[in-house]
Amino acid sequence: MASAQQAAGPATPQDPPQSQASPAYPAAARLPLVDELHGRRIPDPYRWLEDDQDPARERWLTEQQQLFAAHAPTWASRQYFRTALEELQQLGGALVPVVTPPVWRGDRRFFLRRDHGAQLPMLLAAEGAHEGQERERVLVDPIALDAAGLTLLSAWRPSWTGRLVAFQLTHRGSESPELRVLDVASGQVADGPLQLGRPTAVAWLPDDSGFYYVTHGSGPDSRGVRLHHLGSNPCADPLIFSTAQAHLSVDISPDGRWLTISSASGAQSGNDLYLAELTGPAGTSPQAPQLRLIHQGSAERTNALLKFGPHGLLYAITDAGAPRGRVCSVNPADAHHQAWSTLITPELDALLTSCTALTDPDSQQPRLLVGTTRGGAARLAVHDAAGRKLADVPTPGTGPGTISNLSTPPGDTGQVWFTYTDFITPPTVYRFCARQGRCIPESAAAGSPATVQPVVRQHTYRSEDGTPVGLYLIEPPHP
């Protein structure tokens, strides 16, 4: 609301003139169409509006558009709200931020950015930060590829060296993207396209020779994980895992040693988690990994995520046996979830939301940056690898807010990037610096801060059965 006031200046919206006659709305025929579902009669008189081949529908839509065009100029407050909404759009939102946290690969950082006035974000790469002269380059601009705005960048993932990036484009609302590989230095397509059934996770091999990806089909066991080597025929990509479950993801550790696959039948059904060692004494080839089932959450309706940290740290985030979540250490020699050792559980009134590993720049020991939420307010804390809390981290904002998209560069780094937003703060990228022990804003959303900041007040309302329900009121500042 503060941004809207600032966008429009001191002007306030005016009510439309009262003397105007009521508009004559287009006639919409009510048909005597009734369906019977589970013993109940459900009228559906306007189903003809769903038929895009019906001339009556097209005529009704045309008349509606003509009615709007005739009356919109008479709305005195329309320009006020148009100006306000345009400025708010430039500030971004949780689903369409102006800029995203960077994904670091070597000296390059990759990120999305939506410039002022642009409808779609671009994928950029920046390098040279260590020399003090960072250079940005646009890698993929959907509008440059399709001026009509009907081509979307649905997913992207740089390789571990940062030399290549796999990106996926969808056209005209299709859910089946095309995957290509871009050479970052030359800007030329180096491989593809691969025709995909759905946007897919991509897990690069450490030498940039290829990647794992997910394929989708309609038959039993038609969903699976394949391995694609650059330059090879995608039709010959070996299938390394198949399942009838609808949701699949694949990940690989930065050193290429560990491969994990997660499968689930639904978003809330619980997942099965598999682990394979690709290198080392017990390692197998990338083409034929020996996958072990280490968490069978589809039967228990629990979820688990396996993550990799510096110095060979292997840990899991799970709600198995912990509805509010817990962080566990994982011993690769005995990786089944029953052998996991709990490191961190949130306090009784808090919920675990995220966890990422980094390196302490002074001791060079692994650390865990843990995110929780309590009463709607996001919190961060640093723990050692044994789970002991070392310090609370002051977070942005003073009230309820959200921290998301934690991004940690591979290797011995003491920094984490993330997005913060709350009721009155547009999504902003912050960097947690372990040496300084604080969060530093990296890139704020476009637009200047509002001259008048609203006040967010937390209240508790007691429902009819006595249950306390938390709520927030956004108010103008009191004089």
Side-chain angles (χ1 to χ4, degrees):
M1 292 298 293
S3 298
Q5 294 168 1
Q6 180 193 11
T12 57
Q14 302 295 320
D15 292 333
Q18 298 297 317
S19 59
Q20 292 191 16
S22 299
Y25 290 98
R30 289 181 59 91
L31 301 182
L33 180 63
V34 178
D35 291 328
E36 186 168 337
L37 301 175
H38 306 289
R40 292 181 177 270
R41 291 171 57 82
I42 310 296
D44 193 3
Y46 298 113
R47 187 179 297 176
W48 59 274
L49 288 171
E50 302 174 13
D51 184 1
D52 56 8
Q53 303 298 320
D54 190 338
R57 172 185 180 271
E58 294 305 311
R59 184 167 56 253
W60 184 86
L61 289 174
T62 299
E63 293 174 357
Q64 286 280 358
Q65 181 60 34
Q66 292 171 346
L67 178 67
F68 172 80
H71 282 267
T74 69
W75 301 336
S77 60
R78 188 167 184 243
Q79 186 57 46
Y80 171 88
F81 286 107
R82 181 186 184 95
T83 303
L85 290 173
E86 284 178 348
E87 176 165 319
L88 290 173
Q89 183 185 34
Q90 298 311 317
L91 295 176
L95 297 179
V96 284
V98 172
V99 65
T100 61
V103 175
W104 283 90
R105 295 293 184 263
D107 188 39
R108 285 183 173 136
R109 63 184 180 96
F110 300 82
F111 59 98
L112 295 178
R113 187 177 68 203
R114 181 168 58 87
D115 288 343
H116 184 83
Q119 295 184 2
L120 299 173
M122 305 177 294
L123 174 61
L124 292 90
E127 53 191 319
H130 299 314
E131 294 83 14
Q133 294 182 340
E134 190 173 57
R135 303 171 298 279
E136 292 184 357
R137 288 186 298 118
V138 176
L139 299 180
V140 181
D141 181 359
I143 294 298
L145 298 173
D146 180 4
L150 300 178
T151 296
L152 301 179
L153 177 64
S154 57
W156 55 277
R157 178 60 56 182
S159 65
W160 292 111
T161 67
R163 295 190 306 106
L164 304 170
V165 60
F167 67 98
Q168 301 168 52
L169 299 174
T170 56
H171 307 282
R172 303 183 67 86
S174 170
E175 296 183 358
S176 301
E178 296 177 345
L179 185 151
R180 291 177 172 84
V181 176
L182 190 75
D183 183 280
V184 175
S186 67
Q188 300 299 312
V189 173
D191 192 56
L194 278 69
Q195 303 295 332
L196 306 173
R198 292 288 189 274
T200 174
V202 169
W204 281 94
L205 297 176
D207 60 359
D208 291 1
S209 62
F211 52 83
Y212 295 99
Y213 67 103
V214 175
T215 58
H216 295 265
S218 57
D221 295 336
S222 59
R223 300 169 182 87
V225 175
R226 295 182 181 271
L227 175 62
H228 177 72
H229 286 285
L230 300 188
S232 65
N233 184 353
C235 296
D237 289 345
L239 180 68
I240 68 164
F241 178 83
S242 64
T243 180
Q245 294 181 318
H247 297 266
L248 266 178
S249 64
V250 58
D251 196 11
I252 194 170
S253 60
D255 60 4
R257 181 177 181 182
W258 301 107
L259 173 71
T260 65
I261 294 176
S262 172
S263 66
S265 58
Q268 305 295 328
S269 64
N271 72 317
D272 295 336
L273 194 60
Y274 298 83
L275 176 68
E277 186 175 12
L278 302 181
T279 62
T284 57
S285 70
Q287 291 82 2
Q290 297 179 5
L291 292 160
R292 295 176 286 160
L293 178 62
I294 63 173
H295 174 261
Q296 195 168 6
S298 59
E300 304 169 353
R301 301 188 69 84
T302 59
N303 291 279
L305 173 67
L306 203 62
K307 303 191 73 173
F308 313 101
H311 309 289
L313 179 65
L314 193 63
Y315 62 104
I317 303 172
T318 182
D319 59 3
R324 298 178 184 270
R326 61 187 173 113
V327 180
C328 307
S329 65
V330 179
N331 179 4
D334 186 11
H336 194 271
H337 77 273
Q338 293 179 346
W340 294 354
S341 175
T342 300
L343 298 176
I344 303 165
T345 54
E347 299 176 4
L348 291 179
D349 57 347
L351 178 70
L352 180 69
T353 57
S354 57
C355 179
T356 190
L358 63 157
T359 299
D360 183 276
D362 297 322
S363 67
Q364 293 299 304
Q365 294 299 309
R367 297 287 185 255
L368 295 171
L369 181 66
V370 178
T372 57
T373 182
R374 179 191 301 167
R379 300 172 182 268
L380 289 174
V382 178
H383 297 248
D384 63 18
R388 182 171 60 95
K389 181 190 285 190
L390 302 178
D392 289 310
V393 178
T395 54
T398 57
T402 301
I403 290 175
S404 60
N405 301 324
L406 271 65
S407 176
T408 310
D412 294 336
T413 177
Q415 301 182 100
V416 178
W417 280 259
F418 62 88
T419 298
Y420 173 82
T421 186
D422 57 36
F423 290 127
I424 59 176
T425 305
T428 305
V429 175
Y430 278 80
R431 172 174 55 91
F432 167 71
C433 178
R435 175 162 279 133
Q436 300 181 33
R438 64 188 185 97
C439 300
I440 305 166
E442 283 281 287
S443 54
S448 56
T451 55
V452 179
Q453 286 287 349
V455 175
V456 180
R457 300 185 186 278
Q458 184 175 3
H459 300 270
T460 300
Y461 172 81
R462 194 165 295 277
S463 62
E464 285 188 13
D465 63 358
T467 302
V469 179
L471 59 88
Y472 297 93
L473 297 179
I474 305 175
E475 309 168 357
H478 299 291

